[in-house]
Amino acid sequence: QVQPVESGGGSVQPGGSLTLSCAPYSSEFMGWFRQAPGKGREEVACIYGYGGQAWHAASVKGRFTMSQDRAKNTVYLQMNDLRPEDSATYYCAAVVCSNSDGIEDFYGALGRGTQVTVSS
């Protein structure tokens, strides 16, 4: 199974934006997780429909948008209005996703992730 690779992380000031990429995706249903030092893994967003419909966690809803580009075999996480509490390593994986509960399970091992740091 091909493991997707995350990219696009970096350091930004509060209120800034970043776009994370994950390629190649191994399933129509991919999801993003994040984990900050000393904290547990948190689900962020996932694709639950063949039309690319996405679920987003309450903590990021309205600021983050997950999308997919089949032609490029890539999924994205557009992150706007970033806050210090968004600082974490972000991972993508093939998931089981529902529009009500978000990520219910994931397949395979998580990759190396991409680091996002939000600070002034």
Side-chain angles (χ1 to χ4, degrees):
Q1 184 177 2
V2 177
Q3 186 161 357
V5 176
E6 306 89 348
S7 62
S11 295
V12 297
Q13 294 185 339
S17 297
L18 285 172
T19 301
L20 306 185
S21 300
C22 166
Y25 63 76
S26 53
S27 166
E28 283 291 321
F29 309 109
M30 298 292 290
W32 287 97
F33 299 89
R34 67 185 180 186
Q35 188 162 16
K39 295 188 177 181
R41 187 172 58 231
E42 179 186 5
E43 55 185 10
V44 177
C46 58
I47 300 287
Y48 65 85
Y50 286 101
Q53 298 95 322
W55 170 92
H56 299 84
S59 58
V60 305
K61 202 167 188 178
R63 301 188 296 122
F64 292 12
T65 303
M66 182 174 181
S67 61
Q68 63 183 175
D69 185 331
R70 289 191 176 89
K72 296 183 178 180
N73 203 17
T74 301
V75 294
Y76 303 96
L77 187 67
Q78 173 67 45
M79 306 187 297
N80 298 325
D81 189 24
L82 282 160
R83 304 168 181 172
E85 55 264 38
D86 295 318
S87 297
T89 300
Y90 284 71
Y91 305 88
C92 68
V95 301
V96 175
C97 174
S98 75
N99 63 337
S100 57
D101 299 324
I103 297 175
E104 298 177 348
D105 201 354
F106 71 94
Y107 303 96
L110 296 179
R112 298 178 64 180
T114 187
Q115 178 69 42
V116 172
T117 302
V118 185
S119 69
S120 54

